[in-house]
Amino acid sequence: QVHLVESGGGSVQTGGSLRLSCAVSGYQVSVSCMSWFRQVPGKEREGVARIAYGTTTYADSVKGRFTISQDNVKNTLDLNMDNLQPEDTAIYYCAAQSQCTFGFLESTYPYWGQGTQVTVSS
């Protein structure tokens, strides 16, 4: 059974940094396709970063500021977020695909964590 648990969310001021981590069980991150999504209440969930067999993809809104990585020893998926802006405020979710397909189509991600809140104040 696949289980994803996010941690590391919190509150920071504009320009600050946070590192999110997703602890994964029942699924090997080293041979996987996983992503970070975020959602603001009342808006659709959006994909922000993806890693597939070491290849990374980012949404334009976070390029150059966010870095996705995986720790194959700890079996975690991480998201380092720098130069955070108020518009980055959202609930952040990690998600995993059972079969690797391109992009952030939510229906292709059967496994989701419960989310962690990130709040950026100006």
Side-chain angles (χ1 to χ4, degrees):
Q1 186 175 1
V2 179
H3 196 49
L4 309 178
V5 180
E6 301 94 339
S7 61
S11 298
V12 296
Q13 292 188 328
T14 298
S17 298
L18 283 174
R19 184 176 179 85
L20 305 183
S21 187
C22 176
V24 181
S25 58
Y27 187 88
Q28 286 298 115
V29 297
S30 60
V31 288
S32 66
C33 298
M34 297 187 70
S35 295
W36 286 96
F37 289 77
R38 67 185 180 187
Q39 188 171 26
V40 176
K43 294 188 177 181
E44 290 188 357
R45 190 153 48 186
E46 64 169 342
V48 295
R50 181 174 184 266
I51 187 165
Y53 299 103
T55 298
T56 57
T57 306
Y58 298 94
D60 288 343
S61 58
V62 306
K63 277 181 184 176
R65 301 188 298 121
F66 289 15
T67 304
I68 188 171
S69 61
Q70 59 194 40
D71 187 319
N72 295 335
V73 174
K74 295 180 180 178
N75 209 45
T76 61
L77 179 74
D78 302 310
L79 185 68
N80 199 68
M81 306 184 293
D82 294 321
N83 191 21
L84 283 161
Q85 303 296 313
E87 53 266 33
D88 296 317
T89 295
I91 299 173
Y92 284 72
Y93 300 88
C94 64
Q97 293 183 307
S98 55
Q99 292 184 335
C100 289
T101 57
F102 180 78
F104 295 114
L105 187 61
E106 287 188 44
S107 60
T108 65
Y109 290 82
Y111 309 115
W112 292 83
Q114 83 288 350
T116 185
Q117 176 71 47
V118 171
T119 303
V120 185
S121 58
S122 58

